[in-house]
Amino acid sequence: MGNNPRVLPEVTCRDAERRDAKAIAALYAYYVETSSATFEETPPGRAEIAKRIKAVQDAGLPWIVATDAHGALLGYAYASPYRTRSAYRYTIENSVYVAPGTIGSGIGSTIMREVIDRCTRAGYRQMLAVIGGSGNIASIALHERLGFRMVGTHRAIGYKQDRWIDVIHMQLALGESSNTAP
């Protein structure tokens, strides 16, 4: 990356569609198989990803994809409920994954800003990032650039790829945050 981050010339952000499930599954499989960014150990297939997209969108939450001028997937981000108990209903968790060759190009920031904006407009008050691996510097830096603050670390709570993995928690206040009742 150095001092000259790559900037891709043309990026389109749009809502994910069922037809994106295959490309999303392939991109996500890369992270499942090679990193601690996710604690899944077996990559889900296209049908499972399509179900996940539908569940997020049926909940009224955004799942955004970024594509290049030719329609190739560059990354995706979405928000999902943080927990199922009703008191958590104004808090969501984000996920963001970018194609390995685009890390540092601004794709992650672009799609996350769209997710943050939509969640803010929908009345959510807090967004959490649950980041796999304290060494996941790219994700931590991305969230810091977007205004997330570090709120905690769970030490060695996951075991993947023959090693113990920390989980970093970061938080972003949305809209009125806790200043007013919802």
Side-chain angles (χ1 to χ4, degrees), residues 12-26 46 49-51 53-54 57 65 67-68 70-73:
T12 300
C13 291
R14 61 172 173 76
D15 291 326
E17 300 172 2
R18 184 170 181 77
R19 66 184 166 104
D20 298 313
K22 182 178 179 181
I24 290 170
R46 175 177 50 188
I49 293 295
K51 280 177 37 179
I53 293 168
K54 183 176 181 343
Q57 293 174 337
V65 296
T67 59
D68 69 12
H70 306 289
L73 182 72

Side-chain angles (χ1 to χ4, degrees), residues 7-68:
V7 176
L8 300 175
E10 187 176 329
V11 176
T12 300
C13 291
R14 61 172 173 76
D15 291 326
E17 300 172 2
R18 184 170 181 77
R19 66 184 166 104
D20 298 313
K22 182 178 179 181
I24 290 170
L27 174 56
Y28 185 58
Y30 168 82
Y31 286 96
V32 170
E33 294 168 347
T34 66
S35 78
S36 65
T38 174
F39 278 21
E40 282 196 78
E41 296 182 279
T42 303
R46 175 177 50 188
E48 175 59 25
I49 293 295
K51 280 177 37 179
R52 293 178 188 187
I53 293 168
K54 183 176 181 343
V56 164
Q57 293 174 337
D58 285 353
L61 292 164
W63 188 309
I64 308 297
V65 296
T67 59
D68 69 12

